[in-house]
Amino acid sequence: MTGFAALSGAGQGYRWNWELRSVNGKGLDLRLRMPDWIAGLEQAVRADLGKAVGRGSVTLNLRVSRDEVSAATAIDEDALRANLNALAHIEQVAAAQGMQLAPTRAADILALRGVVQAASGEEDSAPLKAALLAELPKLISGFNEMRANEGAALNTVLMGHLTTIEDLVRQAMDAAEARKDAMSDTLRGNLARVMDNADGADADRVAQELALIAVKSDIREELDRLEAHVLAARALLGKSGPIGRKLDFLMQEFNREANTLCSKSQDSALTRIGLDLKATIDQMREQVQNVE
């Protein structure tokens, strides 16, 4: 399910910007881009996101920059040169590939690990980590609020598809009832052909052939299962929590019954209804991919 949230903050001599977004995915794929010099931050953020999101390709970007380089800090010249050389090399390779990169800001370079250090030694990143993690619930809340709004709209769409399937199942029942006389004639003709060739045949084998003919013309079982699948889907959509995987499986069952209905139809009206069912089920399956 798609979602987006952004948040800015400041403290501990730093400014930061969060950006959290997601697109559809079969499983949960977390991609985090954040400063690696803040010890333990990525692990903590990954754990919190894993609890809040059950499905989708989720990307979180965190950009942190210092308010200013004060007298209490010092620039590591060697680290600065190494990072500048690396940036220059990246820009050269990108230019050779025909790619144009966004200009690098001084604040971005200062945020790189090792460039700025406390004059008295390694700076403790724990206070900054605590300040950032204190804002994470607000970011996730905004993100999930957007996803919830989309989910409500998606629920309406899926319920509409289920109503269409219900209507088509009723039409199939009516069409099956209307074709009874024609199917009786067909069944009698098939039965006659079996009996004409039954002299000397094994009685059990003849019974099996007759049963097979009857089964091939009976679609009641498929229609009953489609009705049951509609009820199951409505029940799932009424639940809270992740239901995407269960709906995925249910859509496979919907599709299987629609295919069997088409193969058994032996009637133009039923075939048309079966094709309409398949089209609606395909549309619904595409939307189910957006469900967590």
Side-chain angles (χ1 to χ4, degrees):
M1 186 178 295
T2 57
F4 176 82
L7 191 64
S8 298
Q12 305 299 321
Y14 291 87
R15 294 185 180 277
W16 54 79
N17 293 285
W18 295 94
E19 187 177 281
L20 179 59
R21 64 177 69 241
S22 71
V23 294
N24 306 326
K26 291 186 177 181
L28 178 60
D29 180 20
L30 297 178
R31 302 179 183 183
L32 309 184
R33 300 186 181 97
M34 56 182 57
D36 59 0
W37 52 271
I38 305 177
L41 179 63
E42 180 174 342
Q43 295 88 333
V45 171
R46 186 176 293 276
D48 286 349
L49 280 178
K51 295 174 184 176
V53 184
R55 192 182 190 197
S57 179
V58 181
T59 301
L60 182 142
N61 291 310
L62 171 62
R63 175 171 289 183
V64 178
S65 60
R66 285 182 179 273
D67 283 335
E68 61 182 12
V69 181
S70 65
T73 61
I75 293 178
D76 186 322
E77 297 290 342
D78 291 336
L80 176 60
R81 289 191 189 92
N83 281 289
L84 290 175
N85 289 336
L87 288 171
H89 178 67
I90 292 171
E91 290 173 351
Q92 289 175 0
V93 173
Q97 297 293 325
M99 299 172 59
Q100 185 175 0
L101 302 181
T104 304
R105 301 181 306 174
D108 296 331
I109 298 173
L110 289 174
L112 295 174
R113 186 172 188 175
V115 173
V116 178
Q117 297 183 0
S120 59
E122 183 87 16
E123 182 178 4
D124 182 10
S125 62
L128 175 59
K129 172 188 170 184
L132 290 168
L133 290 178
E135 286 197 339
L136 188 59
K138 183 178 179 181
L139 178 73
I140 293 176
S141 176
F143 174 73
N144 280 335
E145 182 179 354
M146 179 178 177
R147 297 172 82 233
N149 291 336
E150 182 186 343
L154 186 57
N155 184 280
T156 300
V157 171
L158 293 175
M159 286 293 191
H161 286 316
L162 290 173
T163 298
T164 300
I165 292 173
E166 278 183 322
D167 291 341
L168 289 170
V169 169
R170 292 191 190 99
Q171 292 177 35
M173 290 178 178
D174 293 341
E177 185 69 23
R179 70 165 190 166
K180 270 188 175 181
D181 290 341
M183 288 305 301
S184 294
D185 292 340
T186 300
L187 186 58
R188 279 193 291 269
N190 290 333
L191 176 59
R193 283 194 293 273
V194 171
M195 296 308 297
D196 287 344
N197 295 280
D199 293 340
D202 180 74
D204 290 339
R205 178 61 179 171
V206 172
Q208 289 175 5
E209 291 294 331
L210 294 176
L212 185 60
I213 290 172
V215 168
K216 285 184 176 179
S217 64
D218 185 12
I219 62 167
R220 182 68 223 189
E221 186 176 351
E222 284 71 31
L223 296 178
D224 287 344
R225 280 199 290 260
L226 282 169
E227 286 188 320
H229 294 338
V230 169
L231 292 176
R234 289 190 185 279
L236 278 175
L237 290 172
K239 292 182 177 180
S240 59
I243 60 171
R245 292 184 182 277
K246 292 181 179 179
L247 279 176
D248 271 341
F249 173 76
L250 200 52
M251 296 316 301
Q252 296 175 27
E253 298 303 307
F254 268 112
N255 196 54
R256 181 179 293 111
E257 302 305 335
N259 284 334
T260 305
L261 174 63
C262 287
S263 68
K264 285 185 173 183
S265 68
Q266 302 180 41
D267 179 81
S268 59
L270 268 176
T271 299
R272 176 188 58 78
I273 294 170
L275 293 175
D276 288 344
L277 269 170
K278 284 174 60 65
T280 303
I281 290 166
D282 283 342
Q283 292 170 4
M284 187 174 176
R285 187 184 341 197
E286 289 180 4
Q287 294 294 341
V288 165
Q289 302 308 308
N290 300 325
V291 180
E292 181 177 334

